[in-house]
Amino acid sequence: MLTKVYGSAVFGVDAQVITIEVNVGRGIGYHLVGLPDNAIKESNYRIAAALTNNGYKIPGKKITINLAPADLRKEGSAYDLPIALGILLASGQIRSSAVEDYLIMGELSLDGSLQPMKGALPIAICAREAGFKNFILPWENAEEAAIVNGLKVYGLRNIRELIEHFDKDVALQERQVDIQAIFYDQQSQAEHDFSDAKGQESIKRCMEIAAAGGHNIILIGPPGSGKTMLAKRLPSILPPMTLDEALETTKIHSVVGQLKNSGLMSQRPFRSPHHTISDVALVGGGSYPQPGEISLSHNGVLFLDELPEFKRSVLEVMRQPLEDREVTISRARFTVTYPSSFMLVASMNPSPSGYFNDSAAPWGSSPSEMQRYLGKISGPLLDRIDIHVEVTPVPFEQLTEIRRGEHSVEIRKRVVAARDLQTARFRKVPNIHYNAQMNTKQIFSYCMLTPDSLSLLKSAMERLNLSARAYDRILKVSRTIADLEASDSIKGEHIAEAIQYRSLDREGWLG
């Protein structure tokens, strides 16, 4: 007897419907075809034990299982449940005519209980788009899948609940969530706040500018100057995520199984990988491609602490994602694309010793040592970082102040106001949402300078020997500074402030 059950496979951050065809006929054997990986090939052992422990069995006949389309490779252990159901139906142990309305996924334990799975959200979206009315999956993933409107989601704890539903018409409890309530409730929860940071007002200003324009930023300073502390607080002043951004970000984290209980990410992600990370772990890939850290940072912040300590090959693979805001991974049989629109925040010491060049300090490094240290970061990578800022240690008097600094909520209000101006400015420009994304054409159109500001920029370029690559970055940053002041034109003071944020381009910066 032949029966069909429907599951799904995840490719990149999207999913595709898979038809599990099960045929039970004369003979003896168990044949699983359709390009399954090892986890799926081992499913017969899990399924046999789960059925036996729940009063059923795998029939002693010839069982042929095809995962269609057969030319797409399938991976993971979440096909256990639909395969087990297909065997029960094809062998006549249970009967049901409603299976075609369901998409079913889940990994079985030997006792028949269901284990959590990856990719529940993209599979739920796929099920709705394919016209399925119902989605059955493990209980732990039900809340994640239930945020998809127009689809009935049922979370099960074991295979017996599934069998009783189809064989005995026992009703399942639909899992429902109030996505709006979850989304807006979580948005008010900020783990870190800028009011915790003592002093460093000039650095906070740089972070505000970076957040307002979506600019990449690098912090250069000795140990203990507050670089990491400030970087961790940057997400608290970024504009709140929209619901579309939250769903897109949640899909990526769902694919790698890193979602928390709420099922929806409404806080911008903050990722801080260790400097020993490999290029595959950072960008994504592998035999069965998975998103890397830069995709997990999508719509959020990627923080690289001690930037020169990262392997050069690791840093260089970021150049294309920083430019295109997506990662494309090609394999012989398929190509997957992961979104990677993130803010890069990097920090580094100015020298191997950790300190700036200071002849009075015995631990200071010479200019040549500092140059070699900075040389570990390539020019093309620095070219994609708009703001360079020096961070100096906080004086004792500021550390002992009782008065707290400005709260992130107040800074965020100014950032959101500036982003609103940029949204209105680029509403007719495709794929451009904030100043950091501008190309040469947009810079020419939206960064017109007054004669005074143009003269100031020309003078700075000549006197400070700024590199040519600094020109566009200065214009982008100055446009953001003007937006923070709600100014239509870029004034001289905006250019002057932006020039200060190009430390690594200034000739003689090393002393």
Side-chain angles (χ1 to χ4, degrees), residues 22-23 26 107 193 211 213 221 246 323 333 335 349 353 437 439 454 459 466 494 497 507:
V22 182
N23 185 73
R26 293 181 178 179
E107 175 189 341
D193 195 283
E323 197 71 27
R333 291 181 176 270
T335 298
N349 296 326
S353 67
Q437 296 177 324
N439 56 29
L454 182 61
S459 176
L466 293 175
H494 304 150
E497 184 175 1
E507 189 175 278

Side-chain angles (χ1 to χ4, degrees), residues 1 3-6 85 89 94-102 133-134 165-169:
M1 180 178 176
T3 189
K4 295 182 180 180
V5 182
Y6 298 96
L85 179 61
L89 290 168
I94 65 173
R95 300 183 183 279
S96 176
S97 59
V99 177
E100 62 185 20
D101 294 330
Y102 290 78
K133 300 176 182 178
N134 310 283
H165 173 65
F166 285 112
D167 192 36
K168 301 177 183 178
D169 292 327

Side-chain angles (χ1 to χ4, degrees), residues 351-460:
S351 67
S353 67
Y355 297 89
F356 290 100
N357 181 32
D358 185 356
S359 58
W363 54 79
S365 299
S366 67
S368 61
E369 290 175 324
M370 294 175 67
Q371 185 65 65
R372 284 195 298 272
Y373 186 69
L374 295 174
K376 295 181 178 180
I377 308 171
S378 70
L381 179 60
L382 281 177
D383 188 32
R384 290 160 172 81
I385 301 178
D386 295 347
I387 298 176
H388 313 157
V389 58
E390 300 171 32
V391 184
T392 55
V394 180
F396 177 78
E397 292 76 12
Q398 292 183 356
L399 278 176
T400 54
E401 279 187 353
I402 299 177
R403 181 177 61 88
R404 293 172 66 87
E406 188 176 21
H407 286 274
S408 294
V409 173
E410 299 302 318
I411 302 174
R412 176 185 268 192
K413 290 179 181 178
R414 298 193 294 269
V415 169
V416 170
R419 284 286 184 102
D420 288 342
L421 290 175
Q422 294 166 49
T423 300
R425 177 183 302 134
F426 301 125
R427 66 182 181 276
K428 295 183 179 179
V429 183
N431 301 321
I432 303 291
H433 305 288
Y434 43 85
N435 291 335
Q437 296 177 324
M438 288 192 293
N439 56 29
T440 304
K441 181 179 180 180
Q442 279 89 49
I443 291 174
F444 181 80
S445 300
Y446 301 114
C447 298
M448 300 299 293
L449 303 180
T450 63
D452 290 342
S453 58
L454 182 61
S455 175
L456 176 62
L457 179 56
K458 179 182 177 182
S459 176

Side-chain angles (χ1 to χ4, degrees), residues 109-236:
S109 295
L110 299 187
D111 62 356
S113 60
L114 295 178
Q115 298 296 317
M117 56 179 280
K118 298 179 181 179
L121 179 57
I123 291 175
I125 294 172
C126 169
R128 182 187 62 184
E129 293 175 349
F132 287 94
K133 300 176 182 178
N134 310 283
F135 181 24
I136 292 177
L137 74 169
W139 173 264
E140 289 84 354
N141 302 107
E143 189 169 356
E144 172 189 341
I147 66 178
V148 178
N149 294 323
L151 181 71
K152 294 182 178 180
V153 174
Y154 304 100
L156 304 187
R157 290 188 169 87
N158 55 65
I159 192 174
R160 179 164 291 279
E161 295 179 29
L162 181 76
I163 294 171
E164 290 178 348
H165 173 65
F166 285 112
D167 192 36
K168 301 177 183 178
D169 292 327
V170 176
L172 297 176
Q173 183 178 357
E174 182 183 352
R175 191 70 173 271
Q176 295 180 327
V177 298
D178 187 342
I179 185 172
Q180 296 289 340
I182 293 175
F183 180 66
Y184 290 108
D185 179 61
Q186 289 186 0
Q187 283 211 333
S188 62
Q189 303 171 7
E191 185 177 356
H192 302 288
D193 195 283
F194 265 105
S195 63
D196 300 330
K198 299 292 184 68
Q200 303 290 25
E201 298 304 322
S202 62
I203 312 303
K204 293 177 186 177
R205 167 69 174 174
C206 292
M207 303 293 270
E208 180 180 339
I209 294 169
H215 302 288
N216 300 323
I217 182 172
I218 184 169
L219 308 174
I220 312 151
S225 55
K227 303 186 295 295
T228 301
M229 182 184 187
L230 291 166
K232 287 182 176 180
R233 281 152 180 76
L234 181 59
S236 68

